[in-house]
Amino acid sequence: MATRRITQETFDAVVRENTEEFDMEESEALKEAIEQFESQGVDLSYIVKAVPKVCSEENTEDQTHKVLQALESLKAAVASSSASVLEDLRVFTQQCSLGFAQRYLAAQKEAYPTILACCQRAAGEKEALSVALAALSALTDGQPDLLDVEGREFLIGALTAHQTDAALSCVCFRVVRHCCLKHENNRQGLVKSGVLPLLTASITRHIEHPEVVREACVALRVMTFDDDVRVPFGHAHEHAKMIALEHNGLKVIVEAAKAHPENTAVLSELCATLSRLAVRNEFCQDIVDLGGLTFMITLLADSLDRQELVKQVLSALKAIAGNDDVKDSIVNGGGAELIVMAMNRHMANAQVCEQGCAALCVLALRKPNNCKVIMECGGALAALQAMKTHPAEVSVQVKPSVRCLACISRCVYSKRLTLHLRFMHKPIELQEQ
């Protein structure tokens, strides 16, 4: 695993040396530099792997990367209050969208203060603000550390002032998402500043706009993550409870799902968010009472061919099945049969198999009658076939599949249970423990 790091200047110097001293073509010099550093275990994910270009015709020796050229042009336009600021922002956004290395290099050259200043200047002009926020979104993608207190206050202010504007809200939500991924302090800071009611209210207000619903939903889900390794204890659980209890998040999401029955992208995000919010027994029952379970069962039945959506629905069913009463509701509604059908339909997909086995495992836990239903509809066979199909996938082999079979073996009969199934050409025997 690569752990060594170099600067962009070092990399560019080697490329230049290859072209000037070894008379290589630019493409060959670049390839040689990449191979040289990678062979030494250098991490090049932060490096723009391109040959610097000439900045101007007047000075052919002045070379730099296009993203830095765009940044310098933007800084000059801002300093002179030029009318080209918007166009420069668009060019900069385009360059940042090329890859993380471009964004990282721009951030090293003080791009964040410049972009934030553009956002603040454009606060009263919707078109200019939208362009500036798009640049901020592109720059912070993968770099949440860039956001400071001033930037956080600006985001909350922009969301509050433009709540009725769907397009602007959508861009703001994207910035919030980028700044909160793998950054617990930003999450907590934005939650304390009031971002949660702004997100849930926007879903209800713009429920007919699928892109706004999806972006707001993703931002809500990110607030429930615990993915910042720098923080020993996050507030993921607390944030999920706040969304559900204080901001009526469960009802908001279920209603949004019903409003977009044919939009796979939106439904996938909504189901993924529901699974993150089902952190308490009563929340699982609330989702059922709101009609969420009926909707998910129908959705799974109608969407068996849509792999990504199937995976997210299975994840949501697994989450709400943490409630024992909901387990029975899922099985009585035909959920076990549909889960097995989904697994058999997408057996080649390890993630679908993992979520399917995990859902069956939760349904079987402490429920002998459910285990019988799972056995009768081929759940044990599907779990074993998933293990056979994905022998190298630990996520399929160890936890969901084995636990699923173990739950069935303990609950189906009061006596010893022997499954005469062939797995790896050998019979498998599971005993009650």
Side-chain angles (χ1 to χ4, degrees), residues 5-24:
R5 297 271 292 273
I6 60 172
T7 64
Q8 184 69 51
E9 289 76 11
T10 299
F11 182 83
D12 293 342
V14 172
V15 174
R16 186 165 56 252
E17 180 183 27
N18 288 342
T19 56
E20 293 176 357
E21 296 190 16
F22 298 100
D23 200 25
M24 294 182 182

Side-chain angles (χ1 to χ4, degrees), residues 22-321:
F22 298 100
D23 200 25
M24 294 182 182
E25 296 291 334
E26 287 187 351
S27 58
E28 183 184 4
L30 183 62
K31 181 180 178 182
E32 177 65 24
I34 294 172
E35 292 177 351
Q36 176 184 344
F37 284 115
E38 287 182 343
S39 67
Q40 298 172 13
V42 176
D43 181 7
L44 295 181
S45 61
Y46 294 81
I47 299 300
V48 177
K49 292 177 277 293
V51 179
K53 300 300 180 183
V54 176
C55 295
S56 62
E57 296 181 357
E58 292 80 9
N59 187 359
T60 58
E61 294 183 359
D62 186 12
Q63 297 180 335
T64 188
H65 293 280
K66 289 183 178 180
V67 66
L68 296 184
Q69 292 182 18
L71 178 58
E72 290 304 317
S73 178
L74 175 61
K75 287 180 177 179
V78 170
S80 62
S81 300
S82 171
S84 66
V85 170
L86 290 186
E87 183 58 31
D88 288 328
L89 278 169
R90 292 189 179 96
V91 173
F92 177 78
T93 302
Q94 182 181 24
Q95 287 298 315
C96 285
S97 300
L98 295 177
F100 175 75
Q102 280 79 359
R103 299 192 289 274
Y104 179 78
L105 180 58
Q108 298 305 300
K109 302 299 181 181
E110 303 297 324
Y112 175 76
T114 301
I115 301 301
L116 182 58
C118 291
C119 292
Q120 292 169 332
R121 291 186 182 186
E125 304 175 31
K126 289 187 176 182
E127 180 185 359
L129 180 58
S130 179
V131 174
L133 283 170
L136 184 62
S137 173
L139 180 64
T140 54
D141 187 5
Q143 302 188 102
D145 285 334
L146 293 177
L147 186 70
D148 55 13
V149 175
E150 187 180 3
R152 186 172 70 227
E153 291 176 352
F154 171 79
L155 275 178
I156 296 297
L159 279 169
T160 304
H162 300 284
Q163 294 182 62
T164 58
D165 192 304
L168 267 176
S169 296
C170 193
V171 181
C172 284
F173 297 152
R174 199 171 296 126
V175 178
V176 170
R177 167 164 57 94
H178 289 164
C179 292
C180 290
L181 275 171
K182 298 184 179 181
H183 206 294
E184 182 64 22
N185 288 337
N186 283 349
R187 281 194 287 263
Q188 293 185 24
L190 284 166
V191 168
K192 290 177 181 177
S193 298
V195 75
L196 295 183
L198 290 170
L199 290 169
T200 53
S202 185
I203 293 175
T204 302
R205 182 179 292 108
H206 302 291
I207 197 168
E208 73 281 4
H209 295 284
E211 190 61 23
V212 178
V213 172
R214 193 181 74 84
E215 286 293 344
C217 198
V218 176
L220 276 177
R221 182 158 56 90
V222 170
M223 295 300 170
T224 68
F225 284 4
D226 188 14
D227 56 0
D228 191 342
V229 297
R230 300 168 296 184
V231 179
F233 302 104
H235 288 184
H237 190 79
E238 289 79 357
H239 291 169
K241 288 194 297 183
M242 289 175 66
I243 294 169
L245 290 176
E246 299 177 20
H247 307 297
N248 209 18
L250 298 176
K251 182 178 181 180
V252 167
I253 292 172
V254 171
E255 292 301 318
K258 294 176 182 178
H260 298 278
E262 303 298 327
N263 193 314
T264 301
V266 173
L267 290 171
S268 293
E269 292 298 342
L270 291 168
C271 288
T273 304
L274 274 181
S275 67
R276 298 292 306 182
L277 297 180
V279 295
R280 295 175 64 170
N281 209 47
E282 59 268 31
F283 294 171
C284 300
Q285 187 61 53
D286 288 343
I287 292 172
V288 176
D289 296 340
L290 289 166
L293 175 58
T294 302
F295 180 82
M296 283 189 281
I297 292 293
T298 304
L299 181 61
L300 185 58
D302 294 340
S303 309
L304 283 174
D305 291 328
R306 293 187 275 185
Q307 186 172 280
E308 181 60 29
L309 182 55
V310 165
K311 182 184 73 174
Q312 298 299 350
V313 174
L314 293 180
S315 176
L317 289 174
K318 175 193 70 175
I320 66 174

